[in-house]
Amino acid sequence: MDIQQYIESGVLEQYVLGTLTVREQQEVEQLAAEFPAVQQELQVIRLALDGYAAAHAATPPAGMRERVLAGWQQAVRTPNGQAAADEAPRLVASVTAPVAPAPQPEAVVRSIDSAPSSASKFGWLVAAAVALLTLSAIGNYLLYNRLKETETNLEVARTEQSRYAATQQAALKERDDRARQLEILRSEQFRAVDLKGTPNAPDALARVYYNASSHAVYVDVRHLPALPSGKQYQLWALDKGKPVDAGVLTLEATTGDSLQQMKDIASAQAFAVTVENAGGSPTPTLSTMTVLGSI
């Protein structure tokens, strides 16, 4: 059971006001014995009701107590001072005799005094219950707003955490790529092949790292002219005069930001780069050859 939700349901206020059934009262008393928070809330409600009643208590008029006592004494005793039990037979015998009516103001005062007392007390209890329910509603509203604010902050924290994790992952990948590229540059198993510009691009320059044992190929662009939209550079391996597709260059590799691993080449005597449509071509367009280099 969610005790906090049970406390905020208004059942405890009804218990203090005495509006619950016997079974519901027993349930409240059992929970109060098991959970100190319920017992503490009951004490708070009782103190609130007592404070409210004390703040709105009405002081009776002066002399009210004496008049009520006098009226009660006259109602239970005869004019001769004997008990009302002794007077009862005489009242029956003298029904027809003219008897002066007993004084009534005190009886009127008594009935008027008792009725407003009960109504006023009930009104205090109702007002106190309304006040407590209002405070409970306000508390629930504030708690709900605080919960929504907490959820928002938590979502922001999760977003920041995901962003940080993505940044860290990208940084680690870049670090690993740099380490791998440095290993390739320093490895004696890779042979560097310089590709120099053709008449189509005299200033173009690239370098291929070729491992004849593992057949691995990496390209390192030093300078290649920018291409129009829809065009892409493609690397070719020349094996006994026959061009073999080694893959297309990414934009990152074309701008010289990093080494790019190309397709494995079993055997090659030279490498060249041509300009092809985006996605590559099964055969090279020799008229667009940009750089060329022999092993």
Side-chain angles (χ1 to χ4, degrees), residues 12-32:
L12 300 184
E13 287 81 358
Q14 298 180 38
Y15 174 84
V16 175
L17 293 174
T19 60
L20 297 179
T21 63
V22 175
R23 185 182 61 82
E24 292 173 338
Q25 292 178 2
Q26 293 176 350
E27 180 183 4
V28 172
E29 293 170 357
Q30 181 179 358
L31 291 176

Side-chain angles (χ1 to χ4, degrees), residues 62-83:
M64 175 65 72
R65 181 175 181 275
E66 289 72 15
R67 289 200 302 271
V68 172
L69 290 176
W72 177 79
Q73 291 173 356
Q74 291 180 3
V76 299
R77 292 185 177 277
T78 63
N80 295 330
Q82 295 179 352

Side-chain angles (χ1 to χ4, degrees), residues 92-239:
V92 175
S94 60
V95 169
T96 57
V99 180
Q104 298 299 323
E106 289 74 3
V108 174
V109 170
R110 182 174 65 252
S111 61
I112 294 176
D113 180 67
S114 60
S117 176
S118 300
S120 177
K121 182 177 181 181
F122 180 75
W124 296 340
L125 294 177
V126 172
V130 172
L132 289 174
L133 290 177
T134 302
L135 292 176
S136 178
I138 294 175
N140 291 337
Y141 176 76
L142 295 177
L143 182 61
Y144 174 79
N145 286 342
R146 184 174 299 177
L147 177 61
K148 297 301 291 183
E149 182 180 357
T150 302
E151 291 178 349
T152 301
N153 294 337
L154 181 60
E155 186 65 27
V156 172
R158 288 176 177 172
T159 302
E160 292 297 329
Q161 183 180 8
S162 299
R163 185 179 304 171
Y164 176 77
T167 302
Q168 287 294 102
Q169 185 175 4
L172 292 175
K173 183 178 182 302
E174 182 178 359
R175 185 197 65 182
D176 294 341
D177 290 343
R178 295 298 181 184
R180 178 172 52 82
Q181 294 173 13
L182 182 60
E183 181 181 357
I184 293 171
L185 294 176
R186 292 178 175 177
S187 176
E188 296 180 356
Q189 296 181 354
F190 281 89
R191 182 171 182 177
V193 181
D194 290 331
L195 308 183
K196 298 182 179 180
T198 65
N200 293 328
D203 297 332
L205 183 63
R207 178 173 291 177
V208 169
Y209 294 90
Y210 177 56
N211 189 326
S213 298
S214 65
H215 304 157
V217 177
Y218 289 86
V219 64
D220 180 17
V221 174
R222 303 298 178 85
H223 172 69
L224 287 178
L227 295 179
S229 177
K231 297 294 182 179
Q232 194 170 10
Y233 285 112
Q234 186 169 355
L235 179 67
W236 302 91
L238 302 179
D239 184 20

Side-chain angles (χ1 to χ4, degrees), residues 3-4 6-20 24-51 132:
I3 295 301
Q4 186 60 35
Y6 182 84
I7 291 175
E8 297 173 355
S9 64
V11 175
L12 300 184
E13 287 81 358
Q14 298 180 38
Y15 174 84
V16 175
L17 293 174
T19 60
L20 297 179
E24 292 173 338
Q25 292 178 2
Q26 293 176 350
E27 180 183 4
V28 172
E29 293 170 357
Q30 181 179 358
L31 291 176
E34 294 179 2
F35 299 97
V38 176
Q39 182 65 33
Q40 183 178 1
E41 185 66 17
L42 287 174
Q43 294 177 359
V44 172
I45 295 173
R46 291 192 182 100
L47 291 176
L49 288 175
D50 292 341
L132 289 174

